[in-house]
Amino acid sequence: MGQKIALIGFMGCGKTSIGKMLASRLSASFLDLDQEIERIERRSIRELFEAEGEAAFRAIETETLSRLSQRKENLVLSCGGGAIIPPANRQLLTREFFVVWIHVPLEELVKRLAREREGRPLLKDADYEEKVKKLFETRLPLYQEACALTYRWKDGESTTDSATAIMDALALAR
Ligand code: S3P
């Protein structure tokens, strides 16, 4: 049985870039849940949301997560920010993965996401800042519940710094 790590956290926290770096350092495969969904569905997350709505996206997300959790090799999986919403997903994640929460402060996320709204259907509203704040507050307890380890990003830390800090914390935690 390989070691499986899942990265969770709000949109824009760096799951994908940190995950790729972690996977390379751990000589593990890297998978991104959103990219996997887009590959299977042959359309972008935005198109999927527009055509089918959020509930349908969540069902596909749950199904894809469940399938990827069966993989046997060493794996780093980056999850979409809302993958922790269904209780069954949180249970699956804690059972099948060592879950790391990348916790970035709200103010920083608002700054980052202002530049990265394109392609994120939940952030297309005019009152974007309010929406981010609301989602962030609702999801905090869910990230907390699902994770085995919290990595708190500090101002100025690069992707490399984050990957190093998580590697160190993993070595201590396991
Ligand atoms: C979502 C986050 C996105 C993507 C979808 C919904 C969310 O992934 O799954 O747009 O509900 O937070 P990222 O966290 O990788 O942006």
Side-chain angles (χ1 to χ4, degrees):
M1 187 73 173
Q3 62 172 356
K4 287 188 291 186
I5 294 169
L7 300 182
I8 61 169
F10 204 79
M11 288 175 269
C13 74
K15 295 170 297 248
T16 303
S17 43
I18 296 172
K20 281 183 184 160
M21 199 167 274
L22 271 183
S24 124
R25 291 195 189 180
L26 291 165
S27 303
S29 309
F30 172 77
L31 285 172
D32 180 283
L33 188 52
D34 282 341
Q35 283 169 12
E36 190 64 13
I37 293 169
E38 290 182 332
R39 192 180 64 78
I40 294 159
E41 287 288 311
R42 294 164 187 259
R43 51 186 164 170
S44 68
I45 301 289
R46 203 185 67 193
E47 285 163 342
L48 186 54
F49 259 72
E50 276 167 11
E52 320 277 354
E54 182 172 352
F57 167 75
R58 295 292 170 209
I60 296 168
E61 186 178 47
T62 294
E63 196 187 303
T64 310
L65 174 62
S66 161
R67 193 169 46 71
L68 295 183
S69 73
Q70 307 303 316
R71 300 274 287 246
K72 300 286 182 246
E73 81 265 38
N74 289 351
L75 179 67
V76 176
L77 174 69
S78 153
C79 299
I84 42 65
I85 296 172
N89 287 4
R90 298 201 293 280
Q91 280 160 20
L92 181 83
L93 281 165
T94 49
R95 196 175 64 234
E96 300 292 339
F97 294 85
F98 187 85
V99 182
V100 180
W101 173 23
I102 303 176
H103 188 3
V104 172
L106 176 63
E107 307 68 51
E108 172 69 15
L109 291 172
V110 168
K111 255 194 272 169
R112 289 186 195 180
L113 289 167
R115 302 187 293 260
E116 300 171 20
R117 289 168 68 184
E118 186 62 30
R120 286 191 165 101
L122 291 176
L123 303 183
K124 63 178 200 267
D125 308 24
D127 61 344
Y128 137 83
E129 228 176 290
E130 236 350 87
K131 181 75 183 278
V132 171
K133 193 162 170 242
K134 227 158 97 192
L135 284 176
F136 183 81
E137 278 162 7
T138 322
R139 289 176 180 182
L140 274 186
L142 307 182
Y143 295 129
Q144 208 148 26
E145 181 192 314
C147 77
L149 178 79
T150 304
Y151 159 64
R152 287 173 192 277
W153 179 85
K154 279 167 237 64
D155 210 7
E157 280 182 339
S158 66
T159 303
T160 313
D161 297 333
S162 301
T164 303
I166 293 173
M167 286 291 284
D168 291 348
L170 283 173
L172 287 175
R174 288 147 28 106

